[in-house]
Amino acid sequence: MNSGIAHYSDDDLLSLSGLQHFAFCERQWALIHVEQAWEDSADTLRGSWFHERVDTVGYSCADGVRSERAVSLVSHELGLYGIADIVESLENDSLQLWPVEYKVGAPKLEDWDRIQLGAQAMCLEEMSGTSIAVGYLFYGETRRREKVEIDEGLRTRVRSLSAKAHELFDLGLTPPPDRKARCKRCSLKNICLPEAFQNDVSRYWMSFGESLGD
């Protein structure tokens, strides 16, 4: 710890892409990142194939913009590591840069993808020492980019989610199911079994609170 700011060691880093899982469903995140459970679906296979086409290390330049692919990211303040699909910068000013995240599907009303992009921008800021105001989400279904403002609201959300993810990971806790419509499309629904789970949420949160108080 330094001046009240968390500083995680390399051994404590969590997957940056997992922050999107955490925002989508804390139980899904814990099943994947705490219990190491995984099951492919048609959506995850499409996503993997889509990213294989993007995540090839290298760069290109066009219209005064340099695009570097598969850029390694790390933030010891957030305790995250990962890969940015694309990091773009001005050819004549490498400190003006922004992340571009590719998604196979369509834009979402929820902020899950924007959280992942915001975390990428914050990692880049820590690594480069520069400020990043915007990033972009490219969606395969629309073939269009969505501009995302990396504002304080998004940054606060990223910090809060990453801190909570570290707390749950350190405690080894998997939250109980929170049944919602999106459960039907979840790749882990056969592992999670939300219909069969006896959802004792109060007992879980009591255990979580007692663990934090130890």
Side-chain angles (χ1 to χ4, degrees):
M1 297 288 182
N2 182 22
S3 302
I5 298 175
H7 189 90
Y8 296 92
S9 70
D10 288 344
D11 292 337
D12 294 328
L13 300 178
L14 298 178
S15 169
L16 187 155
S17 63
L19 211 59
Q20 183 200 39
H21 298 145
F22 197 85
F24 172 77
C25 173
E26 293 180 12
R27 179 172 173 81
Q28 185 202 62
W29 172 86
L31 287 170
I32 296 171
H33 298 277
V34 176
E35 299 189 16
Q36 302 294 304
W38 181 253
E39 189 169 281
D40 276 317
S41 67
D43 287 340
T44 62
L45 291 172
R46 284 174 62 225
S48 297
W49 176 81
F50 187 73
H51 278 87
E52 282 178 7
R53 301 176 61 193
V54 176
D55 293 339
T56 303
V57 175
Y59 73 91
S60 59
C61 297
D63 300 324
V65 174
R66 175 187 171 101
S67 300
E68 190 165 353
R69 300 184 296 276
V71 178
S72 296
L73 301 175
V74 65
S75 168
H76 288 94
E77 181 180 336
L78 295 172
L80 300 174
Y81 76 96
I83 299 288
D85 289 334
I86 302 283
V87 173
E88 294 182 341
S89 60
L90 298 181
E91 284 190 83
N92 60 0
D93 186 354
S94 61
L95 291 181
Q96 291 193 50
L97 68 162
W98 53 91
V100 182
E101 173 67 16
Y102 278 62
K103 296 296 181 185
V104 67
K108 306 174 182 66
L109 293 176
E110 298 85 358
D111 61 1
W112 311 320
D113 296 343
R114 290 182 282 277
I115 285 168
Q116 183 180 356
L117 186 71
Q120 291 178 0
M122 293 169 74
C123 287
L124 283 171
E125 287 181 331
E126 187 174 321
M127 294 168 64
S128 66
T130 190
S131 178
I132 298 174
V134 299
Y136 295 89
L137 293 166
F138 177 87
Y139 288 97
E141 285 193 15
T142 61
R143 308 298 298 177
R144 293 180 180 275
R145 285 189 177 193
E146 174 188 313
K147 182 179 180 180
V148 177
E149 302 286 342
I150 313 298
D151 57 23
E152 191 54 39
L154 182 58
R155 293 170 186 273
T156 298
R157 184 96 167 103
V158 169
R159 293 188 192 101
S160 175
L161 288 172
S162 62
K164 189 174 182 183
H166 274 281
E167 290 173 354
L168 291 183
F169 188 86
D170 290 343
L171 294 170
L173 286 177
T174 299
D178 180 16
R179 289 186 61 188
K180 294 182 179 179
R182 61 175 179 259
C183 291
K184 296 178 181 179
R185 292 291 301 273
C186 178
S187 62
L188 297 186
K189 64 182 179 181
N190 293 328
I191 298 173
C192 176
L193 300 175
E195 297 86 357
F197 195 92
Q198 295 299 312
N199 194 354
D200 190 348
V201 178
S202 61
R203 184 166 57 188
Y204 163 76
W205 285 114
M206 184 179 297
S207 172
F208 181 45
E210 290 174 350
S211 300
L212 291 181
D214 291 341

